[in-house]
Amino acid sequence: MPKYSEDKVFGHYLYFTSYCVVEAMHVHAGDEEMTQGKAAKFFVRDDGSSVMKRKGDLTAREVKGIQAYIKKHYLAMYAKWSRKSRNGFYRG
């Protein structure tokens, strides 16, 4: 699974899977095992804002922190995403 960062962000890895690339750009925030069942899911817009589609086991503080991280790093994250997917940013 490609990670957006090797470091944890608010205690979670930020990643996507090969199955994810059929959707618009998004970020899973998950635990050590990077299991999607417990992972949060954020769709990313072209201005760096994000829409949480699944909270997973994140606290409100973690959600806010991860969304701030996405906003700050979304262009670098998109560069990794676009190597695997032709689908762009979230427009919904």
Side-chain angles (χ1 to χ4, degrees):
M1 281 178 241
K3 292 181 193 174
Y4 289 110
S5 170
E6 290 302 314
D7 299 323
K8 287 185 175 182
V9 176
F10 284 84
H12 293 63
Y13 289 110
L14 305 183
Y15 65 94
F16 62 95
T17 71
S18 60
Y19 301 108
C20 292
V21 297
V22 299
E23 297 181 294
M25 186 200 173
H26 61 276
V27 176
H28 292 283
D31 59 13
E32 295 282 333
E33 298 158 10
M34 294 190 290
T35 54
Q36 288 189 51
K38 294 181 180 179
K41 183 176 184 178
F42 300 88
F43 278 95
V44 183
R45 293 185 173 128
D46 62 0
D47 65 354
S49 64
S50 59
V51 176
M52 185 174 59
K53 289 294 183 174
R54 185 173 55 238
K55 186 175 181 279
D57 61 358
L58 299 182
T59 66
R61 181 180 164 274
E62 291 167 333
V63 168
K64 188 174 183 178
I66 288 170
Q67 286 183 310
Y69 180 91
I70 291 169
K71 178 82 171 174
K72 184 175 181 179
H73 300 281
Y74 79 100
L75 291 175
M77 295 168 81
Y78 183 74
K80 288 184 179 185
W81 172 267
S82 64
R83 285 186 222 137
K84 303 282 185 179
S85 177
R86 295 181 193 264
N87 294 312
F89 290 106
Y90 181 68
R91 299 190 194 281

